[in-house]
Amino acid sequence: RNPKSNVVILGAGYDSRCYRMGLVGKGISVYEIDAAGTQKVKRRVVAECGIATKGVTYVLCNFEKDDWLECLKSSGFDRELPTL
């Protein structure tokens, strides 16, 4: 499937809105941007709960050192699509 839009969540932490809102698998690319340690734990918990993550891209970013937009661009983000 080709995505029709993007949702970007900066500092996603343990937020689960992309799963609760039914964004996954609906033609929407979701980009969760956060620190490596937080994402490692979140990805483990999401997998343990059996939650589908197709369409979710976990983007690693140290907000104190990295340019979050460059991290997003390097993850395959399509800036031509409408984005929230």
Side-chain angles (χ1 to χ4, degrees):
R1 284 186 190 171
N2 291 333
K4 297 178 175 99
S5 61
N6 300 310
V7 171
V8 176
I9 304 173
L10 293 171
Y14 301 111
D15 189 339
S16 62
R17 82 183 65 208
C18 72
Y19 309 105
R20 290 183 285 118
M21 293 175 64
L23 301 179
V24 177
K26 302 283 185 175
I28 299 170
S29 291
V30 177
Y31 295 86
E32 294 197 357
I33 306 174
D34 211 339
T38 304
Q39 285 199 355
K40 181 179 179 181
V41 173
K42 181 176 185 174
R43 292 176 83 167
R44 179 181 50 79
V45 171
V46 167
E48 287 173 358
C49 292
I51 298 171
T53 59
K54 183 177 182 176
V56 178
T57 301
Y58 296 96
V59 181
L60 300 180
C61 180
N62 178 335
F63 289 104
E64 293 180 359
K65 297 178 182 179
D66 301 330
D67 179 334
W68 68 265
L69 188 53
E70 289 303 316
C71 294
L72 180 61
K73 288 178 186 177
S74 68
S75 71
F77 175 76
D78 184 347
R79 58 189 281 173
E80 298 298 317
L81 295 176
T83 302
L84 172 67

